[in-house]
Amino acid sequence: MTYTRCWYHCHAATMKGGHYSVIEDAAIVVRGERIAWIGPREALPPGAAEAVDLGGAWVTPGLIDCHTHLAFAGERSAEFELRLLEGASYAEIAAHGGGIASTVRATRAASEEQLLDSALRRARQLLRDGVTCLEVKSGYGLDLPGERKLLRVARQLAGRLPLTVRATCLAAHALPPEYAGRADDYIAHVCDELLPALAEEGLVDAVDAYCEHLAFSPAQVERLFRAASALRLPVKLHAEQLSAQGGAQLAARYRALSADHLEYAGEADVAALAAAGTVAVLLPAAFYLLRERQLPPVEALRRHGVPMAVASDLNPGTAPVLSLRLMLAMACTSFGLTPEEALAGVTLHAARALGLVDSHGSLEVGKYADFVAWDIHRPAELAYWLGGELPRQVVFHGLEVTHG
Ligand code: NIG
Ligand code: FE
């Protein structure tokens, strides 16, 4: 057998099947960009290779952040202070022209270069903490030039950093000011013009919307989902975050890749997600930052066998998060996931939420050689430490990543 590189002297949490699926004293053989062999070192097939001694580190698949709004201009720490010091709610701030609308103003005013520059800085931080794949949503442009700028930034990130990037069109994130009082007209514009144009330009991997009382109704989202289906684009949805709207069942009806947030989802919603094979994406940072009390239905998700992903939701309003690993800790402490479930949530199930499960998310032959060697003694440490830098080495598509 010929291969290019071999990593050995490590323990692998392969995450096959969504469990640690540990291989003690493992070796990983890479040919080109893919895993050619993985197993116990003693069974390593003979073959010429450059070998890398990982010194007993634990290896996991590269982490996948399957829900981010990473491209935007400005920041909203003043709203953080308003919520803290004056008890203002997220919805109240949005109703007074703050919230998403304020980031839309800053983003529309920024150049593509400026947006790329700040997105690169944030993506590098995630990468240093073990991320090798992420999703980037638009949603702060809310018109064709603005959404195009954000999706182009998402596309360029992948060329500039050792990361796989999926670009999601979230034009239905909020109502832009020029459409005030005309939400149906805006949705029609998105369906008939904006989305087809961006899809035609090859900038869209999936379509998302914000189904909430302060954003779009299920009927409006359904119209968008029909337009997405006509363009053969998969859908996903911000559903039941602040109130029960019926978004989860709508997402299930359209076989969405994922339904995200889900704090207000009930048993029937979970059953529908299970039947549709839709991933539940849990976002503990927004829950924490908004000091929510309503917990997502984790026990029901488990009982119905709905795959649970965990993501940062990186955005300037509800989740200024620069570490996906910190989300493991929060998913365990706030939502009651086990460290094993949380790790599956940022690997295998996150890959599924992006439609990438055949090539990403676990250490298996044929998948991309994206993995992280961590300075830890047990995999549960990944959900246990708060902060710090634990990766000893990050490998993307078979090559060691050097952080700049
Ligand atoms: O996922 N829910 C809508 N979008 C974001 C918040 C975006 C913002 O406030 O800028 C979220 O929490
Ligand atoms: Fe979000």
Side-chain angles (χ1 to χ4, degrees):
M1 158 162 173
T2 56
Y3 45 85
T4 47
R5 293 196 89 184
C6 168
W7 281 261
Y8 72 102
H9 192 192
C10 59
H11 306 297
T14 66
M15 302 319 289
K16 194 175 166 180
H19 299 285
Y20 285 146
S21 303
V22 170
I23 303 172
E24 307 260 5
D25 196 8
I28 304 171
V29 173
V30 173
R31 192 183 295 126
E33 299 186 330
R34 307 261 183 173
I35 297 172
W37 186 90
I38 178 165
R41 179 179 169 187
E42 61 188 20
L44 186 65
E50 188 188 333
V52 182
D53 182 342
L54 286 171
W58 274 86
V59 174
T60 70
L63 306 190
I64 299 175
D65 196 344
C66 68
H67 179 141
T68 89
H69 309 247
L70 174 139
F72 59 84
E75 53 80 31
R76 308 222 301 268
S77 59
E79 291 179 9
F80 175 59
E81 289 179 317
L82 273 178
R83 291 198 304 271
L84 276 175
L85 307 178
E86 297 184 23
S89 75
Y90 181 72
E92 283 161 1
I93 291 170
H96 288 92
I100 295 171
S102 76
T103 300
V104 170
R105 287 190 290 277
T107 302
R108 284 181 172 181
S111 69
E112 191 172 309
E113 291 66 33
Q114 289 168 328
L115 290 167
L116 177 61
D117 188 61
S118 64
L120 276 167
R121 274 187 278 122
R122 292 187 275 268
R124 278 196 192 99
Q125 305 257 7
L126 293 177
L127 193 153
R128 276 201 194 95
D129 210 23
V131 169
T132 54
C133 174
L134 57 86
E135 186 237 27
V136 176
K137 299 177 194 294
S138 63
Y140 294 119
L142 307 184
D143 58 14
L144 183 56
E147 293 291 293
R148 178 188 282 128
K149 213 163 47 171
L150 293 171
L151 292 169
R152 283 175 49 88
V153 165
R155 283 281 181 259
Q156 288 168 75
L157 282 179
R160 297 284 293 271
L161 295 175
L163 287 172
T164 298
V165 179
R166 300 301 272 179
T168 298
C169 181
L170 178 57
H173 193 196
L175 195 59
E178 58 277 17
Y179 278 90
R182 295 190 296 129
D184 286 329
D185 291 348
Y186 178 61
I187 291 294
H189 167 62
V190 171
C191 293
D192 300 342
E193 293 162 61
L194 188 148
L195 186 61
L198 296 174
E200 170 73 27
E201 291 169 37
L203 291 172
V204 184
D205 298 318
V207 175
D208 192 356
Y210 189 19
C211 187
E212 191 56 70
H213 59 78
L214 48 75
F216 297 100
S217 68
Q220 289 161 343
V221 172
E222 178 150 20
R223 179 149 185 212
L224 176 71
F225 279 5
R226 276 204 227 104
S229 303
L231 293 165
R232 303 200 170 285
L233 291 170
V235 298
K236 41 182 53 220
L237 191 62
H238 285 72
E240 337 292 4
Q241 179 189 10
L242 306 171
S243 60
Q245 296 277 323
Q249 301 212 29
L250 174 61
R253 274 210 305 288
Y254 282 81
R255 305 246 167 249
L257 286 172
S258 67
D260 304 39
H261 287 288
L262 295 175
E263 277 82 346
Y264 285 83
E267 187 81 27
D269 301 319
V270 172
L273 296 177
T278 296
V279 177
V281 178
L282 305 180
L283 303 166
F287 173 88
Y288 166 80
L289 258 284
L290 297 179
R291 298 207 270 194
E292 292 291 330
R293 292 274 175 270
Q294 177 80 22
L295 287 163
V298 167
E299 191 276 323
L301 291 166
R302 257 186 213 126
R303 194 158 24 80
H304 285 270
V306 176
M308 290 182 283
V310 173
S312 71
D313 197 11
L314 197 176
N315 75 69
T318 62
V321 176
L322 294 172
S323 163
L324 181 58
R325 193 171 49 74
L326 183 57
M327 297 305 102
L328 304 188
M330 290 173 61
C332 294
T333 307
S334 301
F335 292 167
L337 266 62
T338 66
E340 185 178 34
E341 285 173 328
L343 186 59
V346 296
T347 53
L348 193 74
H349 300 324
R352 193 180 299 286
L354 295 180
L356 295 175
V357 76
D358 292 337
S359 52
H360 293 74
S362 57
L363 300 176
E364 293 182 75
V365 171
K367 289 199 178 186
Y368 281 110
D370 295 350
F371 53 84
V372 184
W374 305 91
D375 268 324
I376 54 173
H377 308 88
R378 305 176 63 239
E381 277 185 71
L382 295 176
Y384 160 82
W385 295 106
L386 302 176
E389 280 195 24
L390 299 183
R392 183 181 294 185
Q393 188 174 116
V394 178
V395 172
F396 177 73
H397 284 23
L399 294 175
E400 271 170 47
V401 170
T402 47
H403 326 122

